[in-house]
Amino acid sequence: MADQTAPTLDAITIGRSCVDLYSDQIGCRMEDTRSFSKYVGGCPTNIAVGAARLGLKVAVISRVGDDQLGRFVRETLDAEGVSTEALGSDPKRLTAMAFLGIEDDRSFPLLFARTDCADAALCEDDIDPGFIARARAVVVTGTHFSKPHLAAASHKAMAAARAAGRKVVFDIDYRPNLWGLAGAGEGDIRFVSDSAVTARVQEILPHCDVVVGTDEEVSIAGGAGDTREALRAIRARTDALIVLKTGPKGCLVFPGPIPEDLEDGVSSEGFPVEVFNVLGAGDGFMAGFLRGYLRDLPLEECCRIANACGALAVSRHGCAPSYPTWEELQVFFERGIVTPRLREDDWLEHVHWTTTRGPQWNDVCALAADHRVQLEAMADEAGVPRARISAFKSLCLDALLAARRDGVTLGTLLDSRYGRDALFRAEREGVWIGRPVEVPTSRPLRFEGLPSLGAELQSWPPDHVVKCLVYHNANDPEEMRRTQMDQLHRLASAARKARLEFLVEVIGTDRNAGETATADALRQIYAEGIRPDWWKLPDQTTRGWHAIEQVVRTEDPWCRGVLLLGLDAPIEVMEESLSRAAASPVVRGFAVGRTVFAAAARDWLAGTISDDEARRRLTTRFARLVDIWVEARQARAVA
């Protein structure tokens, strides 16, 4: 009897869950690859990520190892909004891996490392019929029918879904070498004819509501080399909706008898884009189709969404990370194809980045301790080695952590010259972290570290925000303006390549500038196509904040927002500044330094106060700023 309880999930996907290691070098053999980027992978896991990005509520049933890679998979899925309550941790097996390459536009090497891996140990005990009944549909994938215990688990899930009146969606997902039909190193072989596999797949078909596959996958399911003949063989065994993926052309859907001319199937026009990487495109397609199918949209619209998701997937590096969000998809539909190389459409890539980078940070209260020149001057004045600055920055971090409270995101700005030890500790504490890259006081802007900023950022942790201070006025001479903008372009490009957020701190040097000078400077930077994730700005008048808000909302509605800086203002002045800034919805918090630490730093470096006294003074002043910010935000909420 069908379960009458309303589903709380749209879909549950079952099967492979692994780590994809994607070659960073494009156009070479995998043997010659020097480095890899790490993503989540596995057909059902990819589908789950893609579907969640499109607004569906999705869960995964699989296993990962109780290891670092398994925790990476779990944490990534959690961040993507995919339920992991049925993702088991296997203490005896390691998380599966797949190595993937992009040799050219036709060759995509694929190497599976799956010997006795965690997801291949899934069994019937992992399937809870009550959990299955919570979803509108269960998605099973072909690879997980290749072993008896895996097949038993998937069949149990299908039976539970049908008993509860839910849909069963079957992605044929044919990988010959995972069925033992090709060598261990031949993961890129897409088709090997085998009557035994055909027989196993055909046992699945009668229990499905939707069957999805490529030409090769339809051939193995139908047991025929001719696509139409194979489709007719599938139709003879199931009344399911059959979806044939046709690559660049999109897809054809057959809700009933297979027509003489396959082009008479339901379809939607494909998207003519340049293929960069086909790996994982089918999983993105499936996610798109599910978004339409589980929202009861017309089949033509299901196809359009699926085709668009596939087009975006083949245009980017990686599988799951290449899939669009629903918001991004609407932008794609509205703008159309600006360039066949979608990854070179700057605005579309910006929307993709901003809608997949993670949740919004609010009420960021940061202690800025990235100062170098100022603290060096204090150390020199006190006659102590500059190496002492490192210990003081650790005291600043102590003060920051002592100010923890509910509803507030603690943050810090720390440099790697004197703040290295504190940076390591801040990373473990999970606070918001910004790191400077500019040469202090440089104008025009110059960068610290390696001559290549991109190479410098490759070693940074993924949650560190690249912070850059630029002294800039909208009315600067053209030569100065051009040099500054060229450097900011370098910054933006390097940060995006390293998949890091970046923050631009803008301080004007024109004392006669008007109330909207900062807004004018931001507008000029936006006009260059530079779109920081964050801004860090000095205090403004109410009119100035309103002008900034208008610029940010107009130029980049996905900007994370503004952090207020302090410029060594007395704490009484900062109280007024924070109250004024808190009234602006575009301001997300503050990052203040010398207002908090300047006096304590001088006394501590001079040896007139102890570590404990320095911590006490730092904590007291920083906590006061946090209190002021929280009270100002609460007052705004009431107003």
Side-chain angles (χ1 to χ4, degrees):
M1 183 177 178
D3 190 324
Q4 301 302 311
T5 306
T8 56
L9 293 168
D10 289 299
I12 295 172
T13 66
I14 302 173
R16 287 186 288 134
S17 198
C18 69
V19 169
D20 280 355
L21 295 168
Y22 253 90
S23 172
D24 290 324
Q25 288 72 52
I26 309 302
C28 66
R29 305 180 310 156
M30 195 180 291
E31 292 89 333
D32 301 319
T33 294
R34 297 189 306 276
S35 62
F36 296 85
S37 290
K38 182 176 81 208
Y39 309 125
V40 295
C43 173
T45 304
N46 287 338
I47 293 170
V49 170
R53 287 186 173 186
L54 296 174
L56 296 182
K57 294 180 179 180
V58 194
V60 170
I61 297 178
S62 186
R63 288 193 196 182
V64 292
D66 186 14
D67 52 40
Q68 294 89 338
L69 295 183
R71 288 188 285 276
F72 163 74
V73 172
R74 185 179 301 279
E75 291 168 12
T76 301
L77 292 178
D78 287 338
E80 292 283 358
V82 176
S83 170
T84 57
E85 61 182 294
L87 179 66
S89 290
D90 192 322
K92 297 180 180 179
R93 299 170 180 84
L94 296 176
T95 304
M97 294 185 292
F99 294 82
L100 309 95
I102 304 174
E103 196 166 303
D104 54 39
D105 58 2
R106 294 175 303 279
S107 181
F108 305 93
L110 178 55
L111 179 66
F112 293 106
R114 297 183 52 79
T115 302
D116 195 27
C117 61
D119 66 8
L122 199 73
C123 68
E124 289 184 82
D125 291 343
D126 293 304
I127 307 300
D128 176 5
F131 184 65
I132 295 294
R134 287 168 50 188
R136 292 190 64 195
V138 62
V139 181
V140 293
T141 52
T143 299
H144 261 235
F145 290 89
S146 61
K147 304 291 183 185
H149 65 286
L150 297 176
S154 292
H155 277 298
K156 181 180 178 181
M158 294 168 67
R162 295 187 73 81
R166 311 310 190 205
K167 300 292 187 182
V168 175
V169 180
F170 177 37
D171 188 323
I172 301 171
D173 179 39
Y174 181 46
R175 297 289 182 183
N177 78 323
L178 298 185
W179 285 83
L181 302 177
E186 296 179 312
D188 55 336
I189 291 181
R190 293 187 170 270
F191 184 75
V192 174
S193 178
D194 187 88
S195 59
V197 173
T198 295
R200 295 273 289 279
V201 172
Q202 289 184 351
E203 292 174 359
I204 304 164
L205 298 176
H207 312 291
C208 301
D209 296 285
V210 181
V211 176
V212 182
T214 61
D215 278 324
E216 295 92 345
E217 290 167 342
V218 163
S219 291
I220 197 67
D226 178 76
T227 301
R228 184 175 180 279
E229 185 180 342
L231 287 167
R232 292 186 68 185
I234 293 173
R235 175 56 74 225
R237 289 165 176 79
T238 181
D239 294 328
L241 184 74
I242 302 173
V243 182
L244 173 66
K245 295 182 285 187
T246 56
K249 295 180 181 179
C251 65
L252 294 167
V253 179
F254 306 99
I258 307 302
E260 290 296 326
D261 185 349
L262 296 184
E263 296 298 324
D264 290 335
V266 178
S267 66
S268 179
E269 192 172 321
F271 295 87
V273 300
E274 180 186 272
V275 174
F276 177 68
N277 168 38
V278 302
L279 299 171
D283 302 336
F285 172 96
M286 173 65 98
F289 193 85
L290 287 173
R291 176 58 168 81
Y293 178 73
L294 295 177
R295 289 291 185 266
D296 300 317
L297 298 182
L299 288 177
E300 292 82 359
E301 184 63 10
C302 296
C303 294
R304 187 172 83 110
I305 296 170
N307 291 341
C309 290
L312 288 161
V314 301
S315 302
R316 294 171 174 153
H317 195 262
C319 298
S322 71
Y323 303 153
T325 60
W326 186 249
E327 195 169 8
E328 176 190 350
L329 205 59
Q330 304 318 299
V331 171
F332 180 60
F333 286 147
E334 290 168 10
R335 295 175 77 241
I337 298 175
V338 175
T339 170
R341 293 187 172 190
L342 295 184
R343 64 192 176 280
E344 295 180 4
D345 182 336
D346 290 341
W347 181 246
L348 187 64
E349 287 300 287
H350 177 66
V351 177
H352 179 70
W353 165 261
T354 56
T355 57
T356 60
R357 67 190 163 191
Q360 177 66 50
W361 297 82
N362 290 309
D363 295 315
V364 177
C365 297
L367 177 52
D370 59 324
H371 302 69
R372 287 140 286 166
V373 171
Q374 298 90 337
L375 285 169
E376 286 172 346
M378 292 180 189
D380 293 347
E381 182 182 346
V384 298
R386 290 181 174 181
R388 289 272 288 159
I389 296 172
S390 296
F392 182 75
K393 296 201 174 194
S394 290
L395 296 177
C396 287
L397 183 60
D398 291 341
L400 172 74
L401 297 176
R404 270 196 166 129
R405 65 191 69 185
D406 291 339
V408 169
T409 299
L410 292 182
T412 184
L413 295 179
L414 283 167
D415 61 293
S416 52
R417 185 192 305 177
Y418 297 114
R420 186 169 179 268
D421 291 342
L423 270 174
F424 289 154
R425 189 152 59 100
E427 175 70 20
R428 293 192 296 271
E429 292 289 345
V431 301
W432 183 95
I433 298 173
R435 287 174 64 176
V437 291
E438 78 280 353
V439 172
T441 73
S442 60
R443 176 169 157 84
L445 175 64
R446 291 182 292 122
F447 298 119
E448 284 191 322
L450 298 173
S452 167
L453 182 59
E456 177 73 23
L457 299 184
Q458 284 299 321
S459 64
W460 285 26
D463 58 338
H464 286 199
V465 177
V466 185
K467 172 258 176 184
C468 179
L469 166 59
V470 57
Y471 295 97
H472 173 63
N473 312 288
N475 60 355
D476 279 340
E478 175 60 20
E479 184 177 357
M480 172 65 75
R481 187 191 70 81
R482 188 66 262 154
T483 301
Q484 299 270 64
M485 294 301 141
D486 287 347
Q487 291 291 77
L488 287 178
H489 273 296
R490 284 184 60 204
L491 169 73
S493 176
R496 287 293 174 266
K497 186 66 175 176
R499 303 201 300 277
L500 297 169
E501 295 185 26
F502 74 100
L503 174 154
V504 175
E505 178 178 353
V506 179
I507 298 179
T509 60
D510 183 356
R511 296 183 178 180
N512 297 317
E515 290 181 278
T516 63
T518 301
D520 294 338
L522 266 57
R523 186 179 292 107
Q524 196 172 80
I525 294 171
Y526 275 129
E528 289 282 331
I530 300 166
R531 305 180 186 93
D533 299 271
W534 298 87
W535 296 99
K536 184 165 177 264
L537 305 175
D539 185 27
Q540 306 287 318
T541 63
T542 299
R543 182 185 173 208
W545 281 124
H546 180 70
I548 288 168
E549 179 186 342
Q550 292 299 109
V551 171
V552 172
R553 290 190 182 280
T554 300
E555 299 293 337
D556 183 8
W558 294 279
C559 178
R560 286 206 182 275
V562 176
L563 299 181
L564 175 70
L565 59 86
L567 288 177
D568 201 16
I571 202 161
E572 296 76 18
V573 174
M574 280 305 306
E575 183 169 356
E576 296 179 9
S577 299
L578 285 167
S579 297
R580 193 162 40 244
S584 172
V586 78
V587 180
R588 301 292 182 182
F590 66 84
V592 174
R594 284 172 291 167
T595 299
V596 174
F597 72 69
R602 290 190 181 92
D603 292 345
W604 184 84
L605 287 167
T608 60
I609 62 172
S610 66
D611 288 359
D612 287 343
E613 177 61 16
R615 286 192 194 94
R616 187 193 66 79
R617 287 166 59 174
L618 290 167
T619 300
T620 299
R621 291 179 74 82
F622 182 69
R624 182 177 173 186
L625 292 184
V626 175
D627 288 339
I628 294 168
W629 174 260
V630 170
E631 290 168 7
R633 274 302 207 207
Q634 290 173 343
R636 173 177 175 264
V638 172

mmCIF file of all heavy atoms in Angstrom, residues 303-327:
data_model
loop_
_atom_site.group_PDB
_atom_site.id
_atom_site.type_symbol
_atom_site.label_atom_id
_atom_site.label_comp_id
_atom_site.label_asym_id
_atom_site.label_seq_id
_atom_site.Cartn_x
_atom_site.Cartn_y
_atom_site.Cartn_z
ATOM 1 N N CYS A 303 13.555 18.917 -20.647
ATOM 2 C CA CYS A 303 14.669 18.773 -21.589
ATOM 3 C C CYS A 303 15.493 20.042 -21.659
ATOM 4 O O CYS A 303 16.732 19.998 -21.688
ATOM 5 C CB CYS A 303 14.145 18.418 -22.974
ATOM 6 S SG CYS A 303 13.368 16.806 -23.108
ATOM 7 N N ARG A 304 14.827 21.193 -21.694
ATOM 8 C CA ARG A 304 15.547 22.466 -21.809
ATOM 9 C C ARG A 304 16.452 22.678 -20.601
ATOM 10 O O ARG A 304 17.628 23.063 -20.741
ATOM 11 C CB ARG A 304 14.560 23.618 -21.931
ATOM 12 C CG ARG A 304 15.215 24.968 -22.227
ATOM 13 C CD ARG A 304 14.178 26.031 -22.528
ATOM 14 N NE ARG A 304 13.628 26.609 -21.328
ATOM 15 C CZ ARG A 304 13.866 27.860 -20.907
ATOM 16 N NH1 ARG A 304 14.671 28.650 -21.603
ATOM 17 N NH2 ARG A 304 13.296 28.328 -19.822
ATOM 18 N N ILE A 305 15.927 22.419 -19.416
ATOM 19 C CA ILE A 305 16.732 22.580 -18.202
ATOM 20 C C ILE A 305 17.902 21.600 -18.212
ATOM 21 O O ILE A 305 19.051 21.964 -17.924
ATOM 22 C CB ILE A 305 15.864 22.366 -16.949
ATOM 23 C CG1 ILE A 305 14.779 23.450 -16.870
ATOM 24 C CG2 ILE A 305 16.720 22.388 -15.683
ATOM 25 C CD1 ILE A 305 13.726 23.172 -15.805
ATOM 26 N N ALA A 306 17.622 20.353 -18.558
ATOM 27 C CA ALA A 306 18.672 19.326 -18.592
ATOM 28 C C ALA A 306 19.749 19.670 -19.609
ATOM 29 O O ALA A 306 20.953 19.550 -19.337
ATOM 30 C CB ALA A 306 18.060 17.970 -18.908
ATOM 31 N N ASN A 307 19.330 20.093 -20.808
ATOM 32 C CA ASN A 307 20.292 20.448 -21.852
ATOM 33 C C ASN A 307 21.186 21.604 -21.411
ATOM 34 O O ASN A 307 22.396 21.616 -21.676
ATOM 35 C CB ASN A 307 19.568 20.818 -23.143
ATOM 36 C CG ASN A 307 18.889 19.634 -23.796
ATOM 37 O OD1 ASN A 307 19.216 18.483 -23.502
ATOM 38 N ND2 ASN A 307 17.946 19.905 -24.684
ATOM 39 N N ALA A 308 20.588 22.593 -20.756
ATOM 40 C CA ALA A 308 21.372 23.743 -20.299
ATOM 41 C C ALA A 308 22.386 23.324 -19.246
ATOM 42 O O ALA A 308 23.552 23.756 -19.274
ATOM 43 C CB ALA A 308 20.440 24.820 -19.749
ATOM 44 N N CYS A 309 21.960 22.467 -18.316
ATOM 45 C CA CYS A 309 22.890 21.990 -17.283
ATOM 46 C C CYS A 309 24.040 21.200 -17.909
ATOM 47 O O CYS A 309 25.201 21.338 -17.499
ATOM 48 C CB CYS A 309 22.150 21.131 -16.272
ATOM 49 S SG CYS A 309 21.005 22.053 -15.218
ATOM 50 N N GLY A 310 23.725 20.388 -18.908
ATOM 51 C CA GLY A 310 24.770 19.643 -19.598
ATOM 52 C C GLY A 310 25.726 20.557 -20.336
ATOM 53 O O GLY A 310 26.946 20.348 -20.325
ATOM 54 N N ALA A 311 25.183 21.590 -20.982
ATOM 55 C CA ALA A 311 26.028 22.540 -21.722
ATOM 56 C C ALA A 311 26.984 23.271 -20.796
ATOM 57 O O ALA A 311 28.173 23.473 -21.114
ATOM 58 C CB ALA A 311 25.143 23.537 -22.475
ATOM 59 N N LEU A 312 26.488 23.693 -19.640
ATOM 60 C CA LEU A 312 27.361 24.375 -18.684
ATOM 61 C C LEU A 312 28.407 23.419 -18.130
ATOM 62 O O LEU A 312 29.566 23.790 -17.934
ATOM 63 C CB LEU A 312 26.519 24.964 -17.556
ATOM 64 C CG LEU A 312 25.694 26.188 -17.966
ATOM 65 C CD1 LEU A 312 24.557 26.434 -16.983
ATOM 66 C CD2 LEU A 312 26.577 27.417 -18.058
ATOM 67 N N ALA A 313 28.016 22.162 -17.913
ATOM 68 C CA ALA A 313 28.956 21.183 -17.359
ATOM 69 C C ALA A 313 30.113 20.900 -18.306
ATOM 70 O O ALA A 313 31.264 20.779 -17.871
ATOM 71 C CB ALA A 313 28.221 19.885 -17.014
ATOM 72 N N VAL A 314 29.839 20.771 -19.617
ATOM 73 C CA VAL A 314 30.913 20.441 -20.561
ATOM 74 C C VAL A 314 31.840 21.620 -20.799
ATOM 75 O O VAL A 314 32.882 21.485 -21.449
ATOM 76 C CB VAL A 314 30.370 19.950 -21.924
ATOM 77 C CG1 VAL A 314 29.516 18.714 -21.760
ATOM 78 C CG2 VAL A 314 29.617 21.051 -22.671
ATOM 79 N N SER A 315 31.490 22.783 -20.254
ATOM 80 C CA SER A 315 32.272 23.996 -20.504
ATOM 81 C C SER A 315 33.282 24.291 -19.417
ATOM 82 O O SER A 315 34.035 25.257 -19.532
ATOM 83 C CB SER A 315 31.324 25.202 -20.642
ATOM 84 O OG SER A 315 30.404 24.998 -21.686
ATOM 85 N N ARG A 316 33.315 23.464 -18.360
ATOM 86 C CA ARG A 316 34.117 23.820 -17.195
ATOM 87 C C ARG A 316 34.965 22.645 -16.704
ATOM 88 O O ARG A 316 34.774 21.515 -17.090
ATOM 89 C CB ARG A 316 33.193 24.284 -16.056
ATOM 90 C CG ARG A 316 32.468 25.580 -16.351
ATOM 91 C CD ARG A 316 31.415 25.884 -15.311
ATOM 92 N NE ARG A 316 30.822 27.197 -15.517
ATOM 93 C CZ ARG A 316 29.594 27.534 -15.141
ATOM 94 N NH1 ARG A 316 28.821 26.655 -14.534
ATOM 95 N NH2 ARG A 316 29.134 28.753 -15.368
ATOM 96 N N HIS A 317 35.851 22.957 -15.797
ATOM 97 C CA HIS A 317 36.722 21.984 -15.151
ATOM 98 C C HIS A 317 35.973 21.316 -14.012
ATOM 99 O O HIS A 317 35.286 21.965 -13.238
ATOM 100 C CB HIS A 317 37.960 22.704 -14.605
ATOM 101 C CG HIS A 317 39.091 21.810 -14.225
ATOM 102 N ND1 HIS A 317 39.333 21.405 -12.934
ATOM 103 C CD2 HIS A 317 40.061 21.234 -14.975
ATOM 104 C CE1 HIS A 317 40.402 20.637 -12.900
ATOM 105 N NE2 HIS A 317 40.870 20.520 -14.120
ATOM 106 N N GLY A 318 36.104 19.993 -13.914
ATOM 107 C CA GLY A 318 35.450 19.274 -12.831
ATOM 108 C C GLY A 318 34.050 18.835 -13.196
ATOM 109 O O GLY A 318 33.475 19.257 -14.196
ATOM 110 N N CYS A 319 33.503 17.964 -12.357
ATOM 111 C CA CYS A 319 32.131 17.477 -12.557
ATOM 112 C C CYS A 319 31.187 18.274 -11.667
ATOM 113 O O CYS A 319 30.620 19.272 -12.097
ATOM 114 C CB CYS A 319 32.053 15.985 -12.243
ATOM 115 S SG CYS A 319 33.076 14.940 -13.322
ATOM 116 N N ALA A 320 31.027 17.856 -10.418
ATOM 117 C CA ALA A 320 30.085 18.523 -9.517
ATOM 118 C C ALA A 320 30.291 20.034 -9.426
ATOM 119 O O ALA A 320 29.321 20.787 -9.454
ATOM 120 C CB ALA A 320 30.150 17.885 -8.128
ATOM 121 N N PRO A 321 31.537 20.542 -9.321
ATOM 122 C CA PRO A 321 31.676 22.001 -9.176
ATOM 123 C C PRO A 321 31.271 22.786 -10.416
ATOM 124 O O PRO A 321 31.081 23.996 -10.342
ATOM 125 C CB PRO A 321 33.168 22.186 -8.871
ATOM 126 C CG PRO A 321 33.820 20.962 -9.391
ATOM 127 C CD PRO A 321 32.831 19.855 -9.212
ATOM 128 N N SER A 322 31.116 22.105 -11.553
ATOM 129 C CA SER A 322 30.765 22.821 -12.787
ATOM 130 C C SER A 322 29.264 23.040 -12.935
ATOM 131 O O SER A 322 28.833 23.822 -13.777
ATOM 132 C CB SER A 322 31.282 22.048 -14.005
ATOM 133 O OG SER A 322 30.539 20.854 -14.199
ATOM 134 N N TYR A 323 28.443 22.382 -12.109
ATOM 135 C CA TYR A 323 27.001 22.429 -12.306
ATOM 136 C C TYR A 323 26.438 23.775 -11.857
ATOM 137 O O TYR A 323 26.897 24.363 -10.876
ATOM 138 C CB TYR A 323 26.311 21.292 -11.542
ATOM 139 C CG TYR A 323 26.803 19.917 -11.914
ATOM 140 C CD1 TYR A 323 26.744 18.862 -11.013
ATOM 141 C CD2 TYR A 323 27.358 19.666 -13.168
ATOM 142 C CE1 TYR A 323 27.199 17.602 -11.339
ATOM 143 C CE2 TYR A 323 27.815 18.404 -13.503
ATOM 144 C CZ TYR A 323 27.746 17.377 -12.591
ATOM 145 O OH TYR A 323 28.215 16.131 -12.932
ATOM 146 N N PRO A 324 25.401 24.247 -12.556
ATOM 147 C CA PRO A 324 24.862 25.572 -12.245
ATOM 148 C C PRO A 324 23.899 25.565 -11.067
ATOM 149 O O PRO A 324 23.301 24.537 -10.733
ATOM 150 C CB PRO A 324 24.109 25.946 -13.527
ATOM 151 C CG PRO A 324 23.618 24.620 -14.046
ATOM 152 C CD PRO A 324 24.735 23.644 -13.732
ATOM 153 N N THR A 325 23.742 26.725 -10.451
ATOM 154 C CA THR A 325 22.658 26.936 -9.502
ATOM 155 C C THR A 325 21.413 27.358 -10.284
ATOM 156 O O THR A 325 21.487 27.719 -11.463
ATOM 157 C CB THR A 325 23.013 28.046 -8.511
ATOM 158 O OG1 THR A 325 23.239 29.266 -9.243
ATOM 159 C CG2 THR A 325 24.271 27.694 -7.727
ATOM 160 N N TRP A 326 20.273 27.316 -9.628
ATOM 161 C CA TRP A 326 19.031 27.733 -10.292
ATOM 162 C C TRP A 326 19.112 29.208 -10.691
ATOM 163 O O TRP A 326 18.678 29.604 -11.774
ATOM 164 C CB TRP A 326 17.839 27.487 -9.369
ATOM 165 C CG TRP A 326 16.523 27.765 -10.027
ATOM 166 C CD1 TRP A 326 15.664 28.785 -9.749
ATOM 167 C CD2 TRP A 326 15.918 27.021 -11.101
ATOM 168 N NE1 TRP A 326 14.559 28.723 -10.569
ATOM 169 C CE2 TRP A 326 14.688 27.638 -11.402
ATOM 170 C CE3 TRP A 326 16.300 25.880 -11.811
ATOM 171 C CZ2 TRP A 326 13.842 27.168 -12.400
ATOM 172 C CZ3 TRP A 326 15.445 25.405 -12.806
ATOM 173 C CH2 TRP A 326 14.238 26.038 -13.094
ATOM 174 N N GLU A 327 19.693 30.013 -9.829
ATOM 175 C CA GLU A 327 19.841 31.443 -10.118
ATOM 176 C C GLU A 327 20.722 31.646 -11.351
ATOM 177 O O GLU A 327 20.414 32.453 -12.234
ATOM 178 C CB GLU A 327 20.444 32.140 -8.897
ATOM 179 C CG GLU A 327 20.329 33.647 -8.910
ATOM 180 C CD GLU A 327 20.707 34.248 -7.576
ATOM 181 O OE1 GLU A 327 21.202 33.519 -6.683
ATOM 182 O OE2 GLU A 327 20.511 35.474 -7.412
#
